[in-house]
Amino acid sequence: MKRVLGSWGEQVELNEAIIERMKELAAERNMTIHQVIQKGGLNQATISELMNGRTKHPKVSTIQKYCDGLDISLTDFFNSPRF
């Protein structure tokens, strides 16, 4: 699995970096993860699987829907030093 930078500069798995970015972006907008997924039309179980580490390879469509809930693009999502 590809390793990328975590929030403290350490190397982490890509799915961990995605989770960190999801949390970061929601917090920046004063939203909860639940609010973002509702607005983006995501299934709670899908995000729970990812957040709990049971899904190691999230689909691009899942990340896109999360971005929709934040009103940002995929480019904005991945525009972070951790990627």
Side-chain angles (χ1 to χ4, degrees), residues 49-60:
E49 294 284 317
L50 175 61
M51 296 292 183
N52 293 320
R54 291 187 294 272
T55 298
K56 298 290 184 187
H57 306 284
K59 295 179 181 178
V60 173

Side-chain angles (χ1 to χ4, degrees), residues 3-23:
R3 296 184 71 76
V4 294
L5 293 179
S7 55
W8 298 101
E10 77 282 11
Q11 286 196 347
V12 297
E13 299 294 334
L14 180 58
N15 63 316
E16 293 172 19
I18 290 170
I19 292 166
E20 286 180 17
R21 184 68 170 152
M22 288 177 154
K23 291 177 181 177

Side-chain angles (χ1 to χ4, degrees), residues 55-73:
T55 298
K56 298 290 184 187
H57 306 284
K59 295 179 181 178
V60 173
S61 62
T62 299
I63 299 169
Q64 178 63 64
K65 286 181 181 180
Y66 193 85
C67 291
D68 292 345
L70 294 167
D71 294 321
I72 65 171
S73 68

Side-chain angles (χ1 to χ4, degrees), residues 32-60:
T32 64
I33 300 285
H34 184 72
Q35 290 171 321
V36 175
I37 65 172
Q38 279 190 321
K39 189 174 176 193
L42 278 161
N43 184 312
Q44 176 68 44
T46 300
I47 295 301
S48 291
E49 294 284 317
L50 175 61
M51 296 292 183
N52 293 320
R54 291 187 294 272
T55 298
K56 298 290 184 187
H57 306 284
K59 295 179 181 178
V60 173

